[in-house]
Amino acid sequence: VIHVKAGQTVEFRNNALITHTVTDDPKLAMDPKDSAAPAGAAPFNSGDLAPGQVFTQTFTVPGIYVYFCMHHESDGMVAQVIVAPAP
């Protein structure tokens, strides 16, 4: 879980030796609880991130985002970004 303020950009860096994704799109989730976003927030998907690649996402809508790795969702690779209103 990470905490940011609305308007901040989060950098997701694949430091692993295998491919991952950063996905918050309920249409792509095997389990609907593994993807969630506040009302008004658009779904996002990094696509495949090879080792060393970076994906950035700017969070403009406050609330709780639940995202997952499409390759490892069934292994429990699910996390959250909690976005507080901008000051």
Side-chain angles (χ1 to χ4, degrees), residues 3-9 58-63 65 82-87:
H3 297 261
V4 299
K5 289 187 173 32
Q8 287 187 300
T9 299
T58 301
F59 293 89
T60 57
V61 179
Y65 295 75
I82 298 175
V83 181

Side-chain angles (χ1 to χ4, degrees), residues 11-22 46-56 69 71-72 77:
E11 179 180 280
F12 299 89
R13 181 177 303 273
N14 183 358
N15 291 325
L17 298 175
I18 58 176
T19 300
H20 291 290
T21 72
V22 179
S46 66
D48 283 348
L49 295 173
Q53 286 189 311
V54 175
F55 170 71
T56 58
C69 172
H71 301 293
H72 305 103
M77 191 171 275

Side-chain angles (χ1 to χ4, degrees), residues 23-24 29-36 66-68 73-74 78-79:
T23 307
D24 186 0
M30 291 185 302
D31 185 335
K33 73 175 176 40
D34 292 341
S35 178
V66 180
Y67 66 96
F68 61 96
E73 179 185 1
S74 62
V78 180

